[in-house]
Structures are given as structure tokens and as C-alpha cells.
Amino acid sequence: MTGHDVRRAVVTGGAGFLGSHLCERLLRGGASVICMDNFLTGSPQNVAHLIGHPGFRVVECDLTGFVHVPGEVDLVLHFASAASPTDYLRLPVETLKVGGLGTLHALGLAREKGARFVLASTSEVYGDPLRHPQREDYWGNVNPVGPRSVYDEAKRYAEALTTAYRNSRGVRSGIVRIFNSYGPRIRPHDGRAIPTFIRQALAGEPLTVAGDGSQTRSICYVDDTVTGILALAFSDLPGPVNIGHPQEITVLELAETVRDLVGSRSAITFVDRPVDDPSMRCPDTALARERLGWRPTVSSEEGLRRTIDWFTAELGLERAVGT
């Protein structure tokens, strides 16, 4: 399958951060796009600039209920889910339901249409990893009854369901494990480190680093993430495939980098580390590189600079430089 083969795509969670970028890129490639969202964590504002495009349609629906799309569909990208701890800790049952029932219904749609199906999974399936970097054949270290389990286990179940539909129902499926994506349209109060640090630095507030900040993350700019996701979608590779930046950064270094790029004199303060917060996160991306020809091209500094610029331009947040 290639991008030219996709005439009509469905993106569940299409008004979310990643979903909206996928809608935009697919439209740019000539596909028609149906964006499905219940706006529980997504926002109509994320796709407002696409309204009026002849190939774009928004359908407000809850994927855990009945789902129907008339006409042909070539690709189903299942991105409906709360994705930040702030959201899934506030919406634990909803997060589990969209990972279970929502995935079931999205797979059913793909099967009905004979479409390629791509599941948005996550690096969180690795839990607090005991292997480093994380390769796709690692089974993970997840607490099934911890506070983060509502997201971690929903995605692990969704992977199992996707695999079952591939093996027993013939659905042409792929699984992408996404690592710490960021960029324009990520919500300032998302709760994740990057939007929190940017918002705090722009306001001249202290940057709140969890624990001692020695835990690592691997941050991947949204343009690179979307390119990797679509490379998988346009292939026949079942996955799972890691899509993320193979360069690690500590959370403390991340806070200091954001502060420097903003030009803020904000202090850095340390707060309690969340329960089951992963101590390290770094993808082994050899599979994506060898089978999809994908590797990230945007440096962390450039990606953070673009994101900071978006925060200031789009959200009206002025830089409190020198505070």
C-alpha cells in the first residue's frame, strides 16, 4: 500500500493532538478524511482550519457505541484515547473503554471495508522498563493495578485485539508504539512535561520537575512522528514498530533546555514523582529504520523552538523574559 492507494481514510480521535496532524497530512496527500471524535480530550479548534476543505468531514461520535461510515474506506487510523496522565487519571473507565470497545469497533469498521488498520499504541506498554533501550520484542514491566494501568493496559489489550483480528479475521493491521511526541496543538494544560515546562517558562513561573529529574524521556517532534506513522500505514508491516527519537534526555535537562530557549529566568523546583513514573524511556528504532526507511530529522532543540513559537503565537502567551 502507498499513499496514492489511500483515497478515503478514517481517523478516530482526529481532533486530538496527533490525530489532527494526521488528518492534515492525509488531506495534503490527496486523500479524503473522515475525522471521528467525541471531543472528550480533543478539540474542534485543532481541525477548524480544515473545515471547508472539500475532502474533510468531522463526525462527532463515541467510538464505544455503534460506528457506521457509508461508502468505501481504504485506511482506518485508530487514535481515539486519552493520552496524558492528567486525562486518563481523570477518565479511567472511559480510557479503558475506548482501548477495548473502541478498538473493537474500529477494527470492525476496517474489516467491513477491507481497509488497512493502524493502532496508535504507546511506549507505555513497556511500563517502567527493565530493558534499555526498548525494542519491540520486549514484553514490558507494567503494574496492572497501578494508577497508570488504565492507559497502559488499555493499550496492551488493544494490541492483543488488533493482533487477534489480523490472525483470525484477516484484517490488514499495523501497530505503532509512539514515544513522547510533542509540537503545535499540544494542550498547555495537557499535564505532560513539555507543554507544562513551556507554559511555566513563558509565564515566568517555577518549572516543576518530578522527583530529582534524572528519569529520561525520548522526545519526537510531531512532524517526524506523523511521517513514521504514515510510513507504517502505507506498508504491509504488522508491527509493533517503535516511532520515536532514539536520543535520551533527562527531565531536568529538558526543563533547563526549555527555560533557555524561552529566555526565562524561572527557577526549577522539584515535586513528588508520580506513582509508577517510568525511570527511563528510549526506543530502539532499528526496525523502523530498516523496514520503513524512517528516522527522525528534527532535532530536539529545533522542535522545542517551533513548539514555543506556536505557544506564543497561537495561545497569546507572551514571554515573561527576565522574570
Side-chain angles (χ1 to χ4, degrees):
M1 185 183 226
T2 68
H4 298 295
D5 298 326
V6 177
R7 298 176 300 276
R8 197 159 180 251
V10 170
V11 182
T12 73
F17 162 55
L18 271 178
S20 65
H21 283 276
L22 283 164
C23 290
E24 191 174 64
R25 187 79 68 88
L26 286 163
L27 287 168
R28 200 185 308 155
S32 295
V33 176
I34 298 168
C35 164
M36 305 181 81
D37 210 297
N38 65 355
F39 304 113
L40 201 58
T41 58
S43 169
Q45 189 176 349
N46 285 338
V47 291
H49 64 296
L50 303 177
I51 301 297
H53 189 293
F56 185 68
R57 187 158 70 93
V58 178
V59 177
E60 184 173 357
C61 73
D62 186 340
L63 206 63
T64 63
F66 178 72
V67 176
H68 174 67
V69 175
E72 294 184 358
V73 174
D74 305 300
L75 176 65
V76 176
L77 296 170
H78 181 39
F79 277 69
S81 178
S84 76
T86 299
D87 289 331
Y88 59 69
L89 294 177
R90 177 175 58 90
L91 302 163
V93 174
E94 291 85 349
T95 301
L96 285 160
K97 284 178 70 176
V98 77
L101 285 172
T103 303
L104 182 71
H105 293 154
L107 280 161
L109 175 64
R111 186 188 182 203
E112 174 196 343
K113 304 295 184 181
R116 168 80 161 155
F117 175 89
V118 175
L119 171 70
S121 189
T122 171
S123 61
E124 298 301 322
V125 299
Y126 298 122
D128 191 5
L130 303 178
R131 184 189 293 180
H132 197 68
Q134 292 81 60
R135 206 171 72 177
E136 290 88 350
D137 59 2
Y138 176 52
W139 292 355
N141 178 42
V142 174
N143 176 2
V145 294
R148 301 172 70 98
S149 66
V150 297
Y151 184 62
D152 301 359
E153 297 290 18
K155 291 298 188 181
R156 287 162 70 93
Y157 176 78
E159 287 197 11
L161 194 56
T162 299
T163 303
Y165 261 72
R166 181 181 181 88
N167 293 337
S168 70
R169 306 288 169 87
V171 173
R172 294 179 294 114
S173 65
I175 298 169
V176 56
R177 290 178 178 161
I178 299 164
F179 282 69
N180 299 111
S181 189
Y182 70 99
R185 294 184 215 135
I186 198 165
R187 289 176 297 147
H189 293 276
D190 179 275
R192 285 178 277 199
I194 289 175
T196 300
F197 292 157
I198 293 175
R199 177 174 50 80
Q200 291 170 336
L202 287 171
E205 299 171 354
L207 275 61
T208 51
V209 170
D212 62 4
S214 63
Q215 63 272 34
T216 67
R217 297 293 181 263
S218 298
I219 63 173
C220 190
Y221 188 65
V222 63
D223 288 1
D224 283 332
T225 303
V226 167
T227 299
I229 292 165
L230 292 180
L232 174 64
F234 300 153
S235 76
D236 292 321
L237 198 63
V241 178
N242 290 336
I243 295 295
H245 204 299
Q247 178 184 356
E248 274 182 287
I249 185 172
T250 70
V251 173
L252 179 56
E253 288 169 341
L254 178 58
E256 291 170 341
T257 301
V258 167
R259 182 178 63 178
D260 291 346
L261 289 171
V262 168
S264 168
R265 294 182 184 175
S266 294
I268 289 178
T269 61
F270 297 90
V271 297
D272 290 342
R273 195 164 158 193
V275 176
D276 295 334
D277 182 48
S279 57
M280 60 186 79
R281 189 67 88 227
C282 184
D284 182 319
T285 57
L287 183 62
R289 193 168 61 250
E290 293 164 8
R291 297 293 302 277
L292 300 175
W294 176 88
R295 67 179 72 222
T297 61
V298 179
S299 70
S300 296
E301 185 172 306
E302 176 59 25
L304 288 169
R305 185 177 287 110
R306 292 182 195 176
T307 308
I308 291 164
D309 288 345
W310 180 82
F311 266 62
T312 57
E314 295 296 321
L315 303 179
L317 295 176
E318 296 183 2
R319 301 178 189 231
V321 178
T323 58

